[in-house]
Amino acid sequence: MSTAGEGRQQLDEASVLNAKRTLLQLLARAGVWSGDAEELIGFVEAGALALAYEEVGTAGRSAPEGKGEPYASGWLDGARSVTDALGAVSERALRRAVAADPSAASPDDRPPVGRTELERTHVAVTPLYLSFTDASDLDPEVTEQVLRALLRTMSSRQRAGYAGRLAAFTSEHRTRLERLYAEYGPGSAIAIHGRYSLIHSPTSVAVLERLATAPGDLHEEWDSAELPPAWLDGLTTAWEASG
């Protein structure tokens, strides 16, 4: 059947809500707690709005040609108005998504680290790590403890955007990170040295980002979690030597 005469294809509110409820039920059957599922869906919704905001903002920077100056001026004013409104909707969606975490009293506080925050960070950091080196048999089994310590240096809002921060950090320092993992990581001449054990873990990328961004907070949370101080010393040494 042709849909050519049906106009622009859009989902109505009931269909969107049905899709969300269906996804929640499927995730529940897979063992995902409803609160975690709601939080993740909220971030997807906020992210979709943020991407739409960026796309509309880019498209609205120039008016159609050949319409004259008054038309162009009005068109640009209207485009800015729509873009601003969409940005506000995106911001509200993000606030709702952050607040969906029952441990987050305020988006700017540093609440206890939630399960989905841990999992989101682990999912974000693993492919970044594997872009520099191979998986290591010497990876210490401390992923949760390390990620929990570094996430405690951030507010809920900062945790929500941490995947993007990690991507930006690795892009900015790619050459330096390549040297670090080649010299100290899996397959290097000092691969078994205990001081550099954490370089065999994907979490090392996130720890390096925190060392570069918030070293004081990281050391405080690291000590509180009773993680080996030598691991931070080793990462610091490797980072400085790779600069």
Side-chain angles (χ1 to χ4, degrees):
M1 182 177 66
S2 173
T3 60
E6 295 182 9
R8 181 173 296 172
Q9 298 298 298
Q10 290 181 303
L11 286 176
D12 57 80
E13 183 177 355
S15 297
V16 173
L17 184 58
N18 174 261
K20 182 175 180 179
R21 287 173 174 168
T22 302
L23 181 56
L24 286 170
Q25 290 188 20
L26 290 171
L27 290 172
R29 292 173 193 170
V32 180
W33 179 57
S34 61
D36 290 341
E38 287 275 9
E39 182 183 349
L40 288 170
I41 291 173
F43 279 118
V44 172
E45 291 173 340
L49 286 166
L51 292 174
Y53 168 74
E54 292 293 333
E55 184 173 345
V56 171
T58 300
R61 289 172 188 158
S62 59
E65 297 180 358
K67 299 288 187 177
E69 182 60 31
Y71 178 93
S73 178
W75 194 94
L76 290 173
D77 286 344
R80 278 193 293 269
S81 179
V82 171
T83 302
D84 290 346
L86 184 56
V89 173
S90 174
E91 173 70 13
R92 289 196 298 272
L94 177 58
R95 287 186 175 275
R96 286 195 301 271
V98 172
D101 180 355
S103 67
S106 167
D108 297 319
D109 286 342
R110 294 183 182 180
V113 178
R115 290 182 299 176
T116 56
E117 290 174 328
L118 284 171
E119 191 61 31
R120 288 203 315 267
T121 306
H122 189 227
V123 168
V125 79
T126 298
L128 295 175
Y129 174 80
L130 293 176
S131 73
F132 297 110
T133 188
D134 296 326
S136 174
D137 293 335
L138 300 176
D139 181 0
E141 296 294 327
V142 291
T143 297
E144 181 172 327
Q145 298 96 306
V146 170
L147 292 183
R148 196 176 293 278
L150 67 89
L151 286 170
R152 280 200 298 264
T153 69
M154 292 176 267
S155 67
S156 294
R157 184 179 295 277
Q158 289 172 326
R159 295 171 192 174
Y162 193 46
R165 182 186 292 269
L166 283 169
F169 172 78
T170 56
S171 177
E172 180 182 355
H173 300 287
R174 175 157 295 276
T175 300
R176 187 174 183 179
L177 288 165
E178 287 173 347
R179 286 196 297 264
L180 183 149
Y181 285 105
E183 182 69 24
Y184 298 91
S188 69
I190 53 174
I192 306 178
H193 197 300
R195 190 183 188 199
Y196 302 107
S197 296
L198 201 62
I199 300 179
H200 291 260
S201 168
T203 62
S204 58
V205 176
V207 177
L208 285 166
E209 186 280 330
R210 290 287 86 191
L211 277 172
T213 305
D217 290 340
L218 178 62
H219 277 88
E220 180 180 343
E221 295 297 344
W222 199 269
D223 291 343
S224 178
E226 299 183 345
L227 289 162
W231 286 354
L232 278 187
D233 292 341
L235 277 173
T236 301
T237 298
W239 181 246
E240 292 175 348
S242 303

